[in-house]
């Protein structure tokens, strides 16, 4: 077993940062005080003192409700909506004599609607509960007595001593006692916490690291005093009291819940925080609840309707008051049949004002049908179903990751159709974040023939006319290479060059340099090799994907790094002279860590010949100034290559080395150790300075180029989104050159675009920075930024003025430092002004905080919908800040997904998510809401017109139950079908005509004009229905047997017309009839008749006025049917005429596409046929060819 | 090949093999429903459709209109407004006093001519205006239970103030509707001979059999101090009081007709009818008109030109639209799918 010896290594010394163990910090002194009061009795949870502390268990609940608080809490949630409060008040009032209807007929629909909402909540919560139960029932080994027994996570208590095995998650926040490694280290994968993929090293206190067997563990008793539960993932303050000594604890000893044990057989640990006290749960704040624009607008419409309701009620009450007062004539009662002399307060002419006020309440109830009671619940149902469609879309399923798209909230579906600006992360979102070694320049010679995405994109744009023979982008040899390179592709390695692959590098002129170059790649890193059990192949755990790519490249080219010990690195290496594979061991003396300020890393090794070498790789900017005079032999060529590589969108590093003298090294080592062990505040600086001293006079070997590959379909997707009028901002941490190149690669920037670059890289600013005068520097920077922004704006303005016809587009590129100044309140406005006038904006070197700020700026500045898309923990702020957060559920952990509203597996799915689902959902919800208001206005206003003819007495025109069922049965299902299924054009056409999306961005389908138009249509429909019906059927007999129409029959006739009209209106306004639509629309109308018939057959005590009204009175009357037909057609005529006119003369985009589709369907079929024929012909041709051969 | 067709067809095939090959795949199951690809009819307003729909409406509506108009024309309707005519001239300024007085002679006679032959059955209606039978207080003022069954005699809660006599006896039928029962009576003579006005079957069958009990007899009705309208014969059960049943079906609007009776004999054209009207009912205090209407009925009901004309009008309008659209398409064809008309293409984004 090769892993055995590994376990003997004291890994803690491998990393230089292990030397940086934090000294006893002053925070420790706070223990026992406020905020630092937690006491944990290790391995002794049953101790009375421990029991007394009564810490919460390890059961984690993410449910919103419990069995007890479900009803009150969910009711409370519902009544936070104004409309629902109104309905509740109405329901309460309905038990008073004020009510125009029977109480039951008001309460019943409210109960149905609220019951539906509560059922939905219950189902959702039940699902969460099931997940909880699953999570809480995972197994863990806990020490009971002297043996480890398996128990469920939820049963863990604070102080329990547990054993966690490799690749298991930690069930709670733990204190690491010891691990399978002798020095008590373990590796932890914190992907679920912060999205970082690299492994973190944790190590136990020295005093506990020897607790390995059950016996010693059983005896282990200690007391931990530490901080109270908090959400800070990166700090921990505590002290372990063990064997009468105090040991300070830091975050180094803490294993957090939801992180995973890696590369370590097992660990022993003590539970410190359980359940909701754990840091990850403390971090789990509810995501900010987002509401879509449409919903916010809908609230306004509801207020309008409320105002209308109050207004018409007021009119009615005033009129009613006057009428009632007039009943009391000079000497007589006017309408004596109402007995105004002997009446209740509701109709008393002597107290007409009071009657009017009471009547106002009645009217508020009566016209309550203007407010659609079922609107909210219908919308919620619809949105949930829409999300189901999003989740089930095949086209958004990623085969590689085995992940479908996932709508995590259903609130924002329609917002997807209105996205104006996308703010995208780059790494992992646009690019795969799997680095591939594609090119290198060694000794001034470029190698590697692979074509990068960027180059392909550039080629597509017809830029690379001149084929370059140096191998930078020589695609003419691709075919040959393909033939040679038929072996399995290696992840992280896309390097093709027959000159040096397969060991041929020895024949190259600079073979010694090539050898040195790859040795640096194979040695200078912090990766850990891991042998696969079956195949014997070696894979690497590296801190960054770049590093892994280097080690893999070295392996593929014959420098296989296969083992690391604490002080050595072993390679299988091709011997230069013999051509045999030999093992070489390098003694590892020092690792000079990579840091963002140093921008380089080095190792100091002693090779088998005993020579001391410093191997170094780093950014060209820092490396080139560190070269020795005679190390600059290839500088010019290498610099040129680096420039070209980075133009091609590649990440470059310069590779150099240096031989050290023994004396020099010893001197330096002493100094370095001194620096490391110093306790002064500037220790880090001292260490850096010491390292810096060594990394000088380097000899340049070459440069590497690693491609951060674009994800599949990204350029096409971005192109489509741009066509759809969506602006894309890329917010990335990368440097400007890389970002610009990625911009080109994914068609964000184009050749015909003018670039406006805002940067602080001008020499005078840099010199100011070097002088160290921070104030002057800041001032100068601000001035410079202001000037640059101003220049940009005037440039755009002048271009726009000069060429009005075809306006040139602009791309803005800004770096992180400049961004800081640009987000300064004074400059913000003009920066924003500049930015929105650019077609694309790239912000490079931006921090997570800046990303969030930019998102905020765009959101507030434009007032339009923003969408953020990202994959890592650094995007969480941005995702939560934006109107819609889309998480990439790819490799980089779940943090972004957890903070997102929608999760897709790859960026390219955004196209379908927005252009198809977004467009549809937007359209559906917009239509649905408009239609909802239409149908309720059309119905509610018929009541009002009737009232006007009933002296506003508050007598409804319809039977109570017709009205109650209006929203619930006769009209609601078609609207839901509309909201769930309607499509203006098919998905294919949505994608083919991205302009269609502009309807959402411009909010054309939910503009005030359109909403008011629909409302107006409703009022017109109600007018037509009421007046034409009454005019047609009233007074004269309506059947051949002489009967006349009374209140009840008029009500039924009008109601029939309303049901027909609103349902046919639905049929007119949708474009997509599946059997579901047919079923619901025509079914609703049929249901009305069926209901009327059945209700009429109940005994009169139940059916009251509706007794046999259809069977006996209406159905046998020809007039009833004629009036229905006439009124319905008349009520639909205005809308139909308007639509006919509008599609003809002012078509909206979807009208045009629909027309095109209809016309196309004829031509398409005619085109299709030849296509088939063509296919057959080519097939025949091929067969003929074969025969010829 | 367009992407959609390729994937949907390929998808269908993979759907059967995909999940089986990889059991724990999270791949959504394929169905036409879940992919929103159900076969659908996608009607859009093409010129053809618009013109055909308008033309079709016109073609359907005009014949219907003509038929209704024809039916309505066949109906003979003779209205006779008598509210002012039946006030003696000395009371013409004080009709209310006249009508309320118990001493005045309320009988009034008049003659009018039958203009066209009226085939039996001829329906006799009274028409009131400005009378709000649809007032909420009025509509609610009855007890359906009491009307239906004898046992619910005491159930008079909704009937106030016409619920009980001063000594607490329940009034049957209670409530304002019954109390204000119309009490004008008509007698019609042709050539000196009384025409029989039948009161049978003037109410809805269901009302008579189900809503008004055959064992419920009027009781304490119009016994209070204030007399509203007609009195009822206490020996006839409510189910037999068809006048009451008709009256208690409250009218829809403030102008309404109610069936008074039927004449089962034909009336010839130019016959002189003499009316004897007992003008008892007070519509004068609220300015309501009273009209006696004789009318025949056809399949469409009574005389109602409105519907026929409206049908013809809308039919004509539709045809007119059809022709307009046709002409517009013929003379001003525009290439469809021309996006230049779109609002956002008309004004290119200007720098703000």
């Amino acid at each position: 077993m090769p892993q055995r010896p590994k376990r003997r290594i004291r890994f803690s010394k491998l990393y230089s940062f292990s030397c940086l163990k934090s000294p006893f910090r002053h925070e420790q002194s706070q223990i026992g005080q406020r905020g630092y009061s937690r006491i944990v009795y290790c391995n002794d949870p049953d101790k009375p003192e421990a029991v007394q502390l009564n810490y919460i268990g390890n059961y984690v609940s993410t449910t919103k409700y419990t069995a007890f608080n479900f009803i009150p809490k969910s009711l409370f949630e519902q009544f936070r909506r104004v409309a629902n409060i109104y309905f509740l008040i109405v329901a309460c009032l309905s038990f008073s004599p004020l009510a125009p209807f029977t109480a039951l007929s008001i309460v019943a629909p409210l109960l149905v609607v609220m019951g539906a909402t509560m059922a939905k909540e219950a189902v959702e919560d039940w699902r969460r509960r099931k997940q909880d139960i699953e999570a809480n029932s995972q197994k863990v080994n806990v020490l009971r007595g002297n043996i480890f027994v398996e128990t469920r996570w939820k049963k863990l208590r604070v102080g329990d001593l547990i054993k966690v095995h490799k690749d298991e998650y930690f069930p709670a926040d733990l204190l690491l006692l010891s691990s399978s490694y002798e020095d008590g280290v373990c590796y932890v994968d914190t992907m679920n916490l912060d999205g970082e993929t690299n492994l973190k090293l944790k190590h136990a206190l020295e005093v506990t690291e020897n607790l390995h067997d059950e016996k010693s563990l059983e005896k282990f008793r200690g007391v931990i005093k530490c901080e109270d539960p908090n959400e800070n993932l990166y700090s921990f303050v505590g002290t372990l009291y063990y064997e009468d000594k105090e040991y300070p604890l830091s975050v180094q000893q803490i294993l957090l819940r939801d992180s995973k044990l890696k590369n370590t057989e097992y660990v022993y640990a003590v539970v410190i925080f359980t359940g909701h006290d754990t840091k990850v749960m403390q971090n789990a704040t509810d995501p900010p609840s987002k509401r879509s624009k449409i919903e916010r607008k809908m609230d306004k419409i509801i207020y309008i309707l409320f105002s209308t309701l109050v207004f018409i009620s007021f009119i009615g009450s005033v009129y009613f008051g006057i009428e009632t007062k007039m009943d009391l004539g000079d000497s007589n009662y006017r309408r004596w049949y109402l007995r105004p002399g002997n009446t209740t307060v509701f109709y008393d002419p002597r107290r007409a004002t009071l009657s009017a006020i009471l009547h106002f309440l009645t009217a508020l109830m009566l016209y309550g049908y203007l407010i659609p009671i079922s609107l909210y619940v219908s919308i919620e149902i619809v949105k949930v179903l829409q999300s189901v469609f999003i989740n089930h879309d095949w086209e958004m399923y990623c085969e590689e990751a085995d992940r479908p798209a996932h709508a995590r909230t259903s609130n924002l579906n329609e917002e997807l159709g209105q996205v104006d600006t996308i703010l995208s992360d780059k790494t992992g979102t646009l690019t795969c974040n799997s680095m591939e070694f594609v090119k290198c320049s060694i000794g001034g010679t470029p190698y590697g023939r692979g074509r990068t995405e960027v180059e392909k994109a550039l080629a597509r744009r017809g830029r690379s006319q001149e084929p370059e023979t140096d191998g930078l982008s020589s695609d003419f040899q691709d075919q040959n290479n393909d033939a040679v390179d038929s072996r399995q592709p290696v992840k992280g390695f896309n390097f093709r060059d027959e000159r040096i692959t397969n060991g041929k590098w020895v024949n190259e002129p600079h073979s010694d340099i090539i050898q040195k170059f790859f040795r640096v790649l194979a040695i200078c890193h912090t990766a850990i090799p891991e042998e696969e059990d079956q195949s014997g192949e070696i894979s690497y755990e590296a801190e960054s994907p770049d590093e892994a790519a280097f080690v893999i490249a070295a392996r593929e080219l014959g420098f296989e790094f296969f083992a690391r010990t604490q002080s050595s690195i072993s390679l299988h290496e091709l011997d230069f002279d013999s051509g045999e594979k030999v093992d070489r061991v390098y003694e590892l003396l020092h690792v000079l860590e990579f840091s963002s300020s140093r921008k380089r890393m080095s190792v100091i090794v002693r090779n088998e010949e005993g020579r001391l070498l410093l191997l170094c790789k780093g950014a060209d900017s820092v490396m080139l100034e560190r070269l020795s005079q005679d190390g600059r032999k290839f500088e010019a060529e290498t610099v040129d290559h680096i420039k070209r590589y980075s133009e091609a969108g590649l990440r470059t590093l310069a590779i150099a080395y240096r031989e050290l003298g023994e004396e020099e090294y010893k001197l330096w080592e002493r100094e370095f150790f001194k620096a490391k062990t110093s306790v002064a505040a500037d220790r880090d600086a001292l260490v850096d300075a010491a390292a810096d001293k060594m990394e000088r006079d380097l000899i340049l070997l070459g440069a590497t180029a690693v491609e951060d590959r674009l994800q599949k379909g990204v350029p096409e997707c971005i192109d489509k989104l741009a066509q759809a009028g969506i602006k894309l901002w890329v917010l990335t941490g990368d440097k400007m050159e890389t970002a610009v190149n990625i911009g080109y690669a994914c068609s964000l920037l184009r050749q015909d675009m003018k670039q406006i670059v805002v940067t602080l890289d001008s020499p005078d600013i840099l010199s100011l920075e070097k002088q160290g005068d921070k104030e002057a520097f800041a001032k100068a920077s601000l001035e410079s930024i202001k000037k640059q922004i101003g220049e940009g704006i005037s440039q755009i303005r002048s271009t726009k003025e000069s060429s009005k016809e075809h306006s040139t587009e602009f791309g803005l590129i800004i770096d992180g430092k400049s961004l800081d100044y640009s987000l300064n309140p004074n400059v913000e406005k003009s920066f924003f002004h500049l930015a929105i006038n650019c077609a694309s904006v790239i912000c490079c070197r931006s921090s997570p905080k800046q990303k969030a700020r930019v998102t905020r700026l765009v959101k507030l500045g434009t007032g339009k919908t923003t969408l953020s898309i990202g994959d890592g923990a650094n995007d969480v702020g941005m995702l939560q800040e934006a109107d819609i957060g889309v998480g990439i559920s790819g490799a980089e952990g779940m943090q972004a997904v957890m903070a997102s509203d929608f999760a897709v597996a790859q960026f390219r799915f955004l196209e379908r998510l927005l252009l198809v689902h977004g467009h549809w959902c937007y359209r559906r919800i917009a239509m649905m809401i408009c239609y909802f208001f239409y149908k309720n206005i059309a119905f509610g206003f018929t009541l009002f017109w009737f009232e006007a003819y009933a002296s506003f007495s508050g007598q409804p025109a319809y039977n109570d139950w017709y009205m109650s069922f209006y929203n619930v049965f006769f009209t609601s299902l078609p609207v839901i079908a509309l909201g769930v299924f309607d499509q203006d054009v098919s998905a294919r056409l949505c994608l083919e005509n991205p302009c269609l999306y502009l309807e959402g961005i411009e909010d054309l389908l939910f503009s005030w004009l359109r909403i008011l138009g629909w409302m107006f249509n409703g009022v017109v429909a109600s007018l037509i229905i009421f007046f034409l019906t009454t005019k047609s059927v009233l007074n004269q007999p309506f059947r051949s047997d002489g009967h006349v129409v009374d209140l009840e029959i008029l009500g039924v006739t009008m109601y029939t017309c309303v049901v027909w009209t609103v349902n046919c209106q639905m049929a007119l306004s949708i474009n997509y009839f599946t059997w579901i639509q047919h079923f619901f629309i025509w079914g609703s109308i049929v249901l009305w008749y069926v209901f009327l018939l059945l209700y009429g057959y109940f005994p009169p005590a139940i059916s009251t006025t509706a007794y046999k009204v259809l069977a006996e009175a209406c159905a046998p009357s020809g007039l009833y049917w004629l009036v229905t037909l006439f009124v319905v057609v008349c009520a639909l005529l205005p809308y139909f005429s308007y639509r006919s006119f509008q599609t003809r003369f002012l078509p909206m985009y979807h009208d045009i596409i629909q027309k095109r589709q209809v016309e196309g369907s004829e031509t398409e079929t005619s085109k299709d046929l030849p296509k088939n024929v063509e296919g057959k012909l080519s097939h025949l041709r091929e067969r003929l060819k074969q025969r010829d051969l | 090949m367009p992407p959609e067709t390729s994937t949907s067809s390929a998808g269908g095939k993979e759907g059967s093999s995909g999940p089986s090959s990889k059991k724990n795949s999270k791949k959504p199951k394929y169905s036409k429903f879940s992919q929103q690809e159900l076969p659908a009819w996608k009607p859009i307003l093409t010129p053809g459709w618009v013109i055909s729909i308008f033309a079709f409406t016109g073609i359907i509506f005009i014949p219907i209109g003509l038929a209704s108009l024809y039916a309505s024309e066949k109906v003979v309707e003779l209205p006779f407004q008598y509210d002012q005519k039946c006030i003696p001239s000395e009371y013409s300024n004080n009709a209310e006093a006249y009508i309320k007085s118990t001493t005045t002679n309320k009988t009034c006679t008049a003659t009018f001519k039958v203009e066209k032959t009226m085939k039996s059955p001829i329906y006799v209606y009274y028409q009131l205006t400005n009378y709000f039978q649809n007032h909420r207080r009025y509509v609610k003022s009855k007890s359906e239970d009491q009307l239906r069954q004898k046992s619910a005699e005491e159930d008079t809660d909704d009937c106030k103030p016409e619920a009980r006599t001063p000594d607490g006896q329940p009034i049957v039928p209670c409530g304002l509707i019954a109390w204000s029962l119309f009490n004008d009576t008509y007698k019609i003579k042709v050539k000196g001979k009384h025409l029989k006005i039948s009161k049978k079957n003037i109410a809805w069958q269901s009302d008579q059999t189900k809503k008004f009990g055959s064992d419920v007899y009027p009781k304490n009705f119009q016994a209070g101090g204030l007399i509203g309208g007609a009195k009822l014969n206490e020996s006839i059960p409510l189910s037999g009081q068809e006048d009451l049943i008709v009256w208690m079906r409250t009218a829809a609007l403030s102008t309404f007709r109610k069936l008074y009776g039927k004449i089962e004999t034909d009336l010839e054209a130019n016959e002189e009818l003499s009316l004897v009207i007992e003008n008892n009912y007070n519509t004068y205090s609220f300015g309501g008109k009273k009209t006696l209407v004789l009318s025949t009925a056809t399949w469409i009901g009574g005389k109602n030109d409105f519907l026929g004309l409206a049908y013809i009008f809308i039919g004509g309008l539709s045809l007119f639209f059809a022709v307009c659209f046709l002409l517009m398409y013929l003379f001003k064809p525009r290439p469809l799918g021309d996006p230049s008309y779109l609002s956002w293409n008309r004004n290119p984004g200007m720098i703000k």
Side-chain angles (χ1 to χ4, degrees), chain A residues 626-629 657-659 694-699:
Chain A
R626 290 169 189 281
L627 299 181
S628 68
Q629 274 316 314
Y657 83 109
R658 175 187 176 199
E659 279 195 39
M694 203 43 139
E695 295 165 319
R696 283 187 184 281
D697 299 329
L698 304 171
I699 297 162

Side-chain angles (χ1 to χ4, degrees), chain B residues 267-300:
Chain B
L267 294 176
E268 299 301 324
N270 298 323
E271 265 180 339
E272 283 275 326
L273 299 185
S274 55
L275 299 177
V276 181
I277 298 168
E278 286 291 327
N279 184 16
N280 298 320
Y281 205 68
N282 175 15
T283 59
Y284 300 98
S285 56
F286 52 86
K289 299 187 187 85
K290 293 197 275 194
T291 311
L292 167 70
V293 183
L294 298 187
S295 171
T296 58
T298 61
W299 62 270
I300 202 175

Side-chain angles (χ1 to χ4, degrees), chain A residues 97-100 320 332-339 342-343 347 362 389 391-395 397 399 402 404 796 800 833 837 917 920 924 946 949-951 953-955 980-981 983 986-988 998-999 1004 1028 1030-1032 1034-1044 1046-1047 1049-1050 1071-1074 1076 1100-1101 1104-1105 1107 1112-1113 1119 1122 1125-1126 1129-1130 1133 1136-1137 1139-1141 1143-1145 1147-1149 1152 1154-1156 1158-1159, chain B residues 2 4 7 11 14-15 24-30 33-36 38-45 50 53-54 57 61 64 68 96 100 123 125 130-132 134-140 144 148 161-162 176 179-180 202-206 210-211 226 228 249-253 255-257 259 281-282 285-286 297-304 306-307 310-311 314 321 325 328-329 332-334 336-339 341-342 344 349 351-352:
Chain A
L98 280 170
F320 173 79
N332 298 310
Y333 297 116
R334 188 171 62 108
R335 296 185 291 186
W336 55 270
Y337 52 90
L338 297 177
R339 291 293 291 275
N342 185 2
T343 185
Y347 309 100
T362 307
F389 280 137
N391 295 346
H392 279 82
D393 195 334
W394 268 46
E395 313 263 314
Y397 168 77
E399 203 84 49
D402 187 25
I796 292 179
K800 285 231 163 131
H833 185 52
N837 279 295
H917 289 281
W920 279 348
R924 289 165 181 173
F946 176 78
Y949 282 80
S951 65
S953 62
Q955 171 62 31
V980 179
F981 303 109
Q983 313 178 352
S986 66
R988 178 176 61 88
L998 283 166
E999 289 189 351
L1004 293 180
L1028 290 188
T1030 51
K1031 190 87 181 108
S1032 305
L1034 278 187
N1035 297 348
Q1036 89 281 2
F1038 80 114
R1039 300 155 40 121
S1040 54
D1041 59 1
H1043 280 296
V1044 290
D1046 57 48
L1047 178 56
I1049 295 168
L1050 180 75
N1071 309 293
Y1072 188 74
F1073 284 89
T1074 63
I1076 300 168
T1104 61
T1105 54
Y1107 183 67
E1112 188 191 21
L1119 192 69
L1122 275 187
L1125 174 67
F1126 175 68
V1129 169
C1130 282
L1133 203 59
F1136 184 75
S1137 312
R1139 274 287 289 163
S1140 317
F1141 183 80
T1143 45
R1144 171 73 193 155
F1145 295 103
M1148 312 241 309
Y1149 202 77
I1152 293 174
Q1154 284 173 347
K1155 266 182 198 161
R1156 233 188 255 165
V1158 167
E1159 285 163 3
Chain B
E4 192 198 42
T7 48
E14 277 165 39
N24 290 326
S25 168
K26 287 178 193 152
K27 184 163 195 168
K29 283 206 184 78
Y30 177 86
F33 178 80
S34 70
Q35 302 308 308
Q36 309 190 56
L38 284 177
W41 176 52
K42 299 168 188 165
I44 68 153
L45 288 176
V50 171
I53 288 174
F54 275 125
T57 312
F61 267 38
I64 294 181
S68 338
E96 246 182 292
K100 280 183 178 167
Y123 300 101
Y125 299 94
N130 213 13
Y131 192 109
F132 287 90
N134 56 10
H135 195 283
R136 184 153 72 104
R137 173 169 165 80
Y138 191 80
V139 173
K140 299 262 187 280
E144 295 197 353
R148 198 161 48 234
E162 284 302 315
L176 292 177
W179 175 73
S180 60
I202 57 171
W204 291 104
Q205 202 61 40
S206 61
K210 297 286 178 182
K211 290 192 178 168
L226 214 54
R249 272 248 175 175
T250 49
L253 299 187
T255 298
F256 59 87
R257 273 184 208 174
L259 202 50
Y281 205 68
N282 175 15
S285 56
F286 52 86
T298 61
W299 62 270
I300 202 175
K303 184 137 190 96
N304 178 20
F306 173 79
L307 191 66
Y311 258 112
I314 295 295
F321 278 155
F325 273 100
M328 280 193 294
Y329 293 136
K332 212 181 154 210
R334 206 180 79 208
L336 297 166
D338 177 5
Y341 279 75
L342 292 175
W344 55 81
I351 189 160
K352 283 161 225 165

Side-chain angles (χ1 to χ4, degrees), chain A residues 294-355:
Chain A
I294 287 197
E295 263 191 57
R296 271 174 272 159
K297 204 164 180 179
M298 188 176 83
D299 286 348
K300 281 185 206 147
I301 304 173
I302 298 247
Y303 289 127
I304 291 180
L305 284 181
F306 262 119
S307 321
T308 315
L309 171 65
V310 169
F311 178 67
I312 64 174
S313 302
F314 179 75
I315 291 177
S317 302
V318 168
Y319 188 90
F320 173 79
I322 293 169
E323 279 284 302
T324 306
K325 190 151 188 92
M326 273 164 56
D327 279 344
L328 191 68
D330 304 332
S331 55
N332 298 310
Y333 297 116
R334 188 171 62 108
R335 296 185 291 186
W336 55 270
Y337 52 90
L338 297 177
R339 291 293 291 275
N342 185 2
T343 185
T344 57
V345 65
F346 305 115
Y347 309 100
D348 195 344
R350 278 170 295 238
R351 289 180 285 173
T353 318
L354 184 58
S355 303

